[in-house]
Amino acid sequence: MDSYQILAERVLAGDSATASDACAILSSPDEDLLDLIAAASRLRREHFGNLVKVNYLVNLKSGLCPEDCGYCSQRLGSEADILKYSWLPREEAKRQAEFGLAGGASRVCLVASGRGPSNRDVERVSGMVEEIKSSSPGVEVCACLGFLKDGQAKRLKDAGVDAYNHNLNTAESHYADICSTHTFADRVDTVDKARGAGLSPCSGLIVGMGETNEQIIEAIEALKAVDSDSIPVNFLIPFDGTPLEGTWALTPQHCMRILCAVRFLCPDRELRIAGGREMHLRSLQPMSLHVANSLFLGDYLTSEGQAAEEDLDMIVDGGFEIVGADSAQQLRDELKSHRAAHLAAFGSATPDESDDTTAADMANAPASVPSAAGTLPCGKPSPPVGHEADGSGVTIPTIRRRGAGTELSPNA
């Protein structure tokens, strides 16, 4: 392959990068990484300037999914000690969304576990969307409810849903190795239904599940084929109690190469660093924003992410601005000031440590303050995000114990 800068010139001139180009990117040596990132950054800047889109997840219904996706903590047979709860009330879904909006999110992603929604579920979510948009009309809403039946995508569109997330996850040639209860074609069908109803397709992948470089490229090309507008790249979170627990196949450098491959093959598409970025990109997270132009703020569906302040620090320190915000730095500084004021007001006491601390106090406390969210159901303290298991080099995911489904404030 020609140099990465020459490849970037080709793509900027309107030529498409090829599978062969992507293969060369994924197999490139570590000493080439900075050159590769610099070239990919040119494409990112051409299409998105210095903007970062902030997205925020609200887990509307957690656990007890009948599907057997091997990577998922909510799967059939999962022994992961995650939060399990049924549908949030409409008002609570709106309240949880507003935490993310206050943290700079311009898109709220409403997610529910399960194979797919009933028509009653679609009506329930439609009501939530209408409630959210009535108070925040400029916000984008993305729904992620599983496999769609005929007519459901149109109902969501009519309710004000802007996008529908349904990840392809991996290559078709690898799909049977991670799931047996549905097929790759089933996933493509739902993305097609969403796009056909006028919803923006949001579909991405999960890496680190034993796929080859060739299968990563196959998955990216499949995302191009379904015309995904937004591509979240998830890095496997190897939950204990799932078939892929303890799997540790990625390095920070290879994660960066994967992001660069997506950027070259899909230069004008929103590229989001998503679940597992803290564990796998590690200290390269800030650098990844020179390739990706989007991230999830704070926590994920069942695991904790890094502090929201750290997410905003990455954006500000990298010289980026946030979509929809007048000033990323002002937003970051206001968030830090707000949380410092809460810390001064409420301290770090948990309900067990201070009889004067009410549940309402803890619900309003900053997520970075130690709280009951730092305690496992067995009573032991939760390890920090990215905790290493007994020096083994394997990082244990920290299960989410705050935000949706709890009385504690989310990480936003």
Side-chain angles (χ1 to χ4, degrees):
M1 188 186 77
D2 293 330
S3 77
Y4 307 117
Q5 291 293 345
I6 292 174
L7 177 59
E9 292 283 358
R10 276 177 37 209
V11 175
L12 288 169
D15 291 340
S16 298
T18 65
S20 177
D21 294 327
C23 186
I25 288 170
L26 292 176
S27 60
S28 62
D30 288 346
E31 54 263 32
D32 283 4
L33 189 60
L34 287 178
D35 291 338
L36 174 60
I37 293 169
S41 178
R42 293 181 61 189
L43 306 181
R44 183 245 196 268
R45 294 273 178 174
E46 172 67 19
H47 294 286
F48 301 100
N50 72 332
L51 294 175
V52 173
K53 187 169 186 176
V54 175
N55 304 260
Y56 185 68
L57 286 167
V58 178
N59 194 352
L60 300 177
K61 181 167 75 79
S62 181
L64 306 175
C65 180
E67 303 299 291
D68 70 353
C69 306
Y71 54 83
C72 186
S73 60
Q74 304 182 77
R75 73 187 295 272
L76 177 69
S78 171
E79 297 179 0
D81 191 18
I82 61 168
L83 292 169
K84 298 180 178 68
Y85 52 86
S86 190
W87 291 94
L88 297 182
R90 179 188 298 193
E91 297 76 15
E92 178 62 9
K94 177 187 174 185
R95 189 177 80 92
Q96 291 295 329
E98 287 173 345
F99 280 110
L101 297 177
S106 57
R107 174 177 284 190
V108 173
C109 305
L110 303 178
V111 187
S113 65
R115 178 176 175 85
S118 66
N119 288 337
R120 181 181 178 184
D121 293 334
V122 169
E123 291 303 316
R124 186 198 314 266
V125 174
S126 295
M128 294 176 182
V129 174
E130 291 163 356
E131 187 83 13
I132 291 168
K133 288 209 165 187
S134 67
S135 59
S136 303
V139 67
E140 292 182 1
V141 175
C142 179
C144 178
L145 311 174
F147 298 108
L148 293 175
K149 304 179 185 70
D150 290 343
Q152 291 182 330
K154 183 179 185 304
R155 175 65 186 103
L156 292 170
K157 175 69 174 177
D158 291 344
V161 173
D162 300 282
Y164 196 83
N165 170 257
H166 198 69
N167 294 329
L168 298 187
N169 288 330
T170 194
E172 184 172 14
S173 63
H174 187 51
Y175 208 83
D177 293 330
I178 66 165
C179 182
S180 69
T181 50
H182 61 263
T183 66
F184 184 85
D186 292 331
R187 290 196 164 265
V188 170
D189 177 69
T190 282
V191 179
D192 288 344
K193 281 186 169 69
R195 186 180 58 251
L199 297 170
S200 172
C202 172
S203 188
L205 65 157
I206 305 171
V207 294
M209 300 190 295
E211 69 282 343
T212 65
N213 284 347
E214 290 74 19
Q215 287 171 326
I216 292 173
I217 296 166
E218 181 187 342
I220 298 170
E221 292 189 319
L223 293 171
K224 288 179 63 177
V226 298
D227 199 23
S228 181
D229 290 332
S230 178
I231 301 176
V233 175
N234 297 276
F235 309 94
L236 176 68
I237 301 177
F239 289 97
D240 287 349
T242 65
L244 291 174
E245 69 174 78
T247 300
W248 202 249
L250 298 169
T251 66
Q253 296 91 336
H254 197 56
C255 292
M256 287 298 306
R257 285 190 283 266
I258 291 169
L259 292 174
C260 288
V262 176
R263 177 56 72 206
F264 271 102
L265 288 174
C266 307
D268 61 347
R269 300 306 161 109
E270 178 187 339
L271 172 55
R272 187 180 314 149
I273 48 173
R277 59 181 167 92
E278 299 90 346
M279 300 171 62
H280 293 287
L281 282 165
R282 301 203 285 278
S283 63
L284 296 188
Q285 278 192 90
M287 189 176 293
S288 72
L289 289 180
H290 291 275
V291 179
N293 64 294
S294 179
L295 55 69
F296 280 117
L297 179 76
D299 294 334
Y300 305 104
L301 296 176
T302 62
S303 64
E304 292 186 4
Q306 69 184 19
E309 296 99 318
E310 294 179 38
D311 290 339
L312 296 179
D313 279 341
M314 288 197 311
I315 294 171
V316 172
D317 294 348
F320 298 104
E321 291 293 340
I322 294 174
V323 171
D326 292 334
S327 166
Q329 181 170 338
Q330 181 179 349
L331 178 66
R332 187 271 312 269
D333 292 347
E334 288 175 352
L335 177 64
K336 287 189 172 184
S337 176
H338 176 73
R339 291 196 165 174
H342 271 295
L343 179 60
F346 300 117
S348 60
T350 70
D352 293 333
E353 293 170 338
S354 170
D355 293 337
D356 296 328
T357 303
T358 66
D361 289 335
M362 294 308 299
N364 291 320
S368 56
V369 175
S371 68
T375 304
L376 296 173
C378 63
K380 295 180 180 179
S382 293
V385 175
H387 171 71
E388 187 174 299
D390 303 322
S392 64
V394 174
T395 303
I396 299 175
T398 300
I399 301 298
R400 180 176 67 84
R401 305 291 182 197
R402 58 194 177 194
T406 78
E407 293 184 351
L408 301 178
S409 64
N411 178 19

